[in-house]
Amino acid sequence: ISLTYENGLLVSAVTRGDGVKGDDVTDNVKTIRTIPLKLQGTDYPKNFEIRGEILMPWKVFERLNKEREEAEEPLFANPRNAASGTLKSQKSSLVASRQLDAYLYYLLGEELPADGHFENLEIARSWGFKISEGMKKVKTLQQIYDFINYWDTERKKLPVATDGIVLKVNSLRQQRALGYTAKSPRWAIAYKFLSLI
């Protein structure tokens, strides 16, 4: 999801879509309790975008599939598909009832508070955004390997499904210098675990 804020207020929410064009889901996103409609504090930029993931917690997914099974309706394949389908619903009341959650992981704008990606997200947390507690700044390859090994086990205890982690260059200046390929940034790489669960 891509959220745009102006003067501390949520003004739009757009899905990632095909990477170029997404769906406007602002009304539905406003029903998600972990997404602030109005930011806390006063030290946020006048205009900025924050990106993240809309997720359906395991307990909601399991309850929803149980209800669908009892009603003899097709089951959702996984929480990701269920969250995506819910977010595109024409009924905001349905979206609200499904208790979606959101984790934000990337801040964009002209006047960000710091050059560090990690530092900006820590500051964004103080504005009211839900940022993963599992995020960590590391400096060595061994620390990366240790982080991967830790989360390969611990992710099974999370309230939401996850299939991997993303490693990113922290400096925004270095991110800009590294740039993008046609499909993805050169300053980030996804590490996928062997199995979803």
Side-chain angles (χ1 to χ4, degrees):
I1 196 76
S2 172
L3 308 173
T4 300
Y5 284 79
E6 293 178 4
N7 300 312
L9 300 175
L10 175 65
V11 294
S12 75
V14 180
T15 63
R16 184 171 53 202
D18 62 6
V20 177
K21 188 173 192 287
D23 297 316
D24 185 328
V25 290
T26 306
D27 289 341
N28 287 348
V29 163
K30 286 180 176 180
T31 71
I32 300 172
R33 292 182 178 173
T34 51
I35 293 181
L37 304 181
K38 183 178 188 320
L39 301 181
Q40 300 170 13
T42 58
D43 62 339
Y44 43 78
K46 184 176 179 182
N47 299 302
F48 70 92
E49 177 185 348
I50 189 164
R51 294 179 185 170
E53 192 99 27
I54 303 291
L55 304 163
M56 179 176 283
W58 280 116
K59 66 179 184 178
V60 176
F61 173 73
E62 290 163 0
R63 186 195 76 222
L64 184 58
N65 264 352
K66 185 177 178 190
E67 290 170 1
R68 292 177 73 84
E69 184 177 37
E70 290 169 359
E72 298 182 359
E73 296 174 353
L75 303 183
F76 285 115
N78 56 56
R80 182 180 291 254
N81 288 0
S84 177
T86 297
L87 199 56
K88 293 178 183 177
S89 169
Q90 300 297 314
K91 296 181 182 175
S92 293
S93 59
L94 173 73
V95 180
S97 74
R98 291 199 176 160
Q99 301 171 303
L100 297 178
D101 201 352
Y103 287 87
L104 289 306
Y105 55 69
Y106 189 48
L107 194 63
L108 298 96
E110 295 296 317
E111 300 174 10
L112 300 183
D115 177 58
H117 172 77
F118 179 89
E119 290 77 11
N120 280 329
L121 289 177
E122 286 297 309
I123 294 167
R125 187 191 313 273
S126 73
W127 303 336
F129 292 111
K130 187 169 187 178
I131 308 294
S132 173
E133 295 290 338
M135 183 177 65
K136 185 174 184 180
K137 188 173 170 181
V138 298
K139 295 186 178 194
T140 68
L141 281 175
Q142 188 57 52
Q143 288 175 325
I144 292 172
Y145 300 144
D146 292 344
F147 187 81
I148 289 169
N149 291 334
Y150 175 82
W151 281 110
D152 193 20
T153 303
E154 290 300 306
R155 67 193 172 95
K156 296 166 185 161
K157 299 175 185 174
L158 292 172
V160 294
T162 184
D163 62 355
I165 60 174
V166 178
L167 306 168
K168 299 177 184 176
V169 171
N170 191 52
S171 166
L172 302 187
R173 181 180 45 78
Q174 290 177 342
Q175 287 182 9
R176 286 189 294 275
L178 289 166
Y180 291 80
T181 66
K183 293 188 175 184
S184 60
R186 288 189 177 100
W187 45 265
I189 187 166
Y191 176 89
K192 299 292 184 181
F193 294 111
L194 292 177
S195 65
L196 179 60
I197 299 174

